[in-house]
Amino acid sequence: MNDATKIRRAVKLGQVFTPSAPVSSRDFFAGRVDQIMDVSNAILQPGKHVMLYGERGVGKTSLANILWDLLSPLSGAKGTSVRVNCTTQDNFRSIWTKVLREAGIEVPEPWTYASPDPDDVRRILGKIPGDNIVILDEYDRIEDDDSLSLMADLIKALSDHLVRTKLVIVGVADSIDHLFGEHESIQRAVEEVQMPRMSQQELMDIIDNGLNAVEMTISPEARQRIGRLAEGFPHYVHLLSLSAAKRAVADDRNNVTVEDVAEAVNKAVEKHSLLREYQSAIQSPRPGTLFSKVLAACALAEKNRLGQFTAGAVREPLSRIMGKPYEIPAFAPHLKAFTGDERGSVLKREGPERRYTYRFRNPLMQPFAILTSLAEGDIPEEFAAEILS
């Protein structure tokens, strides 16, 4: 493989595996069949809008990015898709100002001085020809309660008047109540679509699609390992696949091996944006503390569908890591410390005392803690083999 071929292949790999950005092309999107069907069915129903919610990092924005490519052939109608990101500074007026500007529609002059009424927005959207989609991404970042109420009123108005422009609201949440509160008036107008973590097969489909695009292959063991280490998050599949495949290309090979994946793990640990947050969580002036081991055990603990785990669930993986039994009193102080500001509140504690549940504040930290522990040899070989199988 000459240098020009290596460069072309490396560039192409950077286009198909995008750990730093959501997928923007339908060609490189994999899985999510159930969610695509739910969203499609809702969008095609008169008066129905969509709330797409789930953990951070599970691919909600990627699905939103390709919605129009998926739906426009189904509807057979002409229209447009507009996506805007919400921020903590946004309110009802600023959001819809951004939407109109993105759509090339003149913003009414009165909006300069006062917030529009939901019916004002409804009338503007009702005049846009064709079937259109407005995607409001990162909706959970909006902090203004009045704006959330106004948005709920708008959804009801759009539904009651059968406006053809549909809203797809995307946010980090456990349920629709976390994004809209208890606005019962919109329940019939909104289809709730939860985005869970991806299945092992869906994750491996991402690997196959990407490598097929550059005419490369991967060993079954390496493929399985990337899928397992990703813990359901497409970000880590893109990150590890990109690094491992580039190593193979640099070595004049078309096949990605387990050794390539192992090196990709080391690079991910060294350069990931979460490294500083991780170090803040485990650092201690005293040598031999358990913080890194306990955090790894939290990452490996059995969890429910919301990513929550109990102190009891940490006991078994910590005992496996340490090579001897560990009971809850030995690591309970560490769990408490992880919820405090001094360690970056890496964990969130929920529920009543003696029935506490925990979860990672940033879900992407969970796979990172596992990757780091594997790279640094904190996990015994036998246990590591089970994790990666």
Side-chain angles (χ1 to χ4, degrees):
M1 192 185 304
N2 59 42
D3 289 345
T5 301
K6 286 184 180 182
I7 292 171
R8 283 196 299 271
R9 184 162 283 181
V11 170
K12 184 66 173 178
L13 282 169
Q15 294 172 338
V16 299
F17 294 119
T18 56
S20 300
V23 172
S24 58
S25 170
R26 181 180 177 182
D27 294 338
F28 304 132
F29 187 86
R32 300 304 193 190
V33 173
D34 290 341
Q35 288 74 39
I36 289 172
M37 290 181 64
D38 288 343
V39 172
S40 301
N41 290 337
I43 290 293
L44 296 175
Q45 286 184 48
K48 204 76 167 179
H49 303 268
V50 174
M51 170 66 68
L52 190 62
Y53 68 96
E55 289 182 284
R56 190 174 306 281
V58 294
K60 300 183 298 297
T61 299
S62 293
L63 177 55
N65 281 341
I66 66 160
L67 271 181
W68 185 248
D69 288 342
L70 293 169
L71 293 175
S72 54
L74 296 176
S75 67
K78 294 183 178 180
T80 59
S81 175
V82 172
R83 183 174 72 85
V84 300
N85 288 344
C86 302
T87 72
T88 56
Q89 304 302 313
D90 270 324
N91 54 36
F92 189 73
R93 177 176 62 179
S94 65
I95 291 169
W96 287 104
T97 296
K98 288 194 288 189
V99 170
L100 295 189
R101 287 174 177 167
E102 193 71 24
I105 298 172
E106 184 177 354
V107 179
E109 186 176 349
W111 290 21
T112 306
Y113 312 102
S115 181
D117 182 272
D119 221 40
D120 296 334
V121 178
R122 188 266 304 171
R123 280 191 288 268
I124 292 174
L125 297 180
K127 293 177 181 178
I128 303 175
D131 293 313
N132 308 283
I133 300 174
V134 174
I135 300 166
L136 305 181
D137 202 358
E138 300 190 67
Y139 189 79
D140 55 287
R141 300 191 66 194
I142 300 173
E143 297 178 349
D144 182 56
D145 290 339
D146 289 340
S147 296
L148 299 179
S149 294
L150 290 170
M151 195 69 72
D153 291 340
L154 172 61
I155 291 174
K156 185 176 186 303
L158 292 173
S159 178
D160 289 346
H161 289 81
L162 300 180
V163 174
R164 291 169 67 181
T165 294
K166 299 299 187 73
L167 302 190
V168 177
I169 295 175
V170 183
V172 176
D174 296 334
S175 70
I176 189 173
D177 291 343
H178 285 80
L179 294 177
F180 272 108
E182 298 180 3
H183 290 276
E184 297 180 0
S185 61
I186 67 167
Q187 289 181 354
R188 66 172 178 80
V190 174
E191 181 73 20
E192 301 177 43
V193 179
Q194 184 183 20
M195 286 277 282
R197 297 188 187 188
M198 298 188 83
S199 68
Q200 181 81 346
Q201 185 58 54
E202 288 177 319
L203 295 170
M204 292 192 293
D205 286 345
I206 295 175
I207 301 170
D208 294 340
N209 288 352
L211 292 179
N212 286 340
V214 293
E215 299 180 336
M216 293 183 69
T217 58
I218 185 170
S219 74
E221 296 83 3
R223 182 172 175 264
Q224 176 79 14
R225 182 165 296 190
I226 291 176
R228 175 64 184 90
L229 289 172
E231 288 286 317
F233 292 104
H235 162 76
Y236 284 101
V237 169
H238 284 262
L239 179 67
L240 296 176
S241 297
L242 176 61
S243 182
K246 281 187 173 181
R247 185 176 187 268
V249 168
D251 200 30
D252 287 331
R253 289 181 285 108
N254 291 323
N255 186 61
V256 178
T257 66
V258 168
E259 291 73 24
D260 295 323
V261 176
E263 185 59 30
V265 168
N266 292 332
K267 285 190 174 183
V269 168
E270 293 171 1
K271 299 181 179 181
H272 202 283
S273 60
L274 286 174
L275 180 58
R276 180 176 296 181
E277 185 178 333
Y278 176 81
Q279 291 295 341
S280 296
I282 67 163
Q283 65 184 356
S284 175
R286 294 179 297 163
T289 59
L290 285 178
F291 285 108
S292 63
K293 309 291 197 304
V294 175
L295 194 63
C298 291
L300 293 165
E302 185 176 350
K303 300 170 182 65
N304 65 18
R305 66 181 185 87
L306 298 178
Q308 298 168 323
F309 59 93
T310 64
V314 178
R315 183 169 42 206
E316 193 270 340
L318 182 60
S319 298
R320 296 288 303 276
I321 290 171
M322 300 303 297
K324 61 180 181 179
Y326 265 75
E327 296 301 325
I328 293 175
F331 59 84
H334 300 77
L335 295 180
K336 182 178 179 181
F338 285 143
T339 67
D341 292 340
E342 185 178 342
R343 298 195 176 275
S345 302
V346 67
L347 295 183
K348 292 178 65 176
R349 187 173 66 184
E350 301 166 318
E353 189 175 358
R354 298 186 181 279
R355 296 176 60 187
Y356 288 137
T357 61
Y358 301 84
R359 60 175 163 173
F360 282 85
R361 181 179 57 81
N362 181 348
L364 292 176
M365 178 60 75
Q366 182 202 339
F368 185 78
I370 297 173
L371 293 176
T372 304
S373 296
L374 290 169
E376 296 183 354
D378 285 343
I379 300 178
E381 187 174 333
E382 182 181 348
F383 190 23
E386 290 182 25
I387 294 169
L388 297 172
S389 64

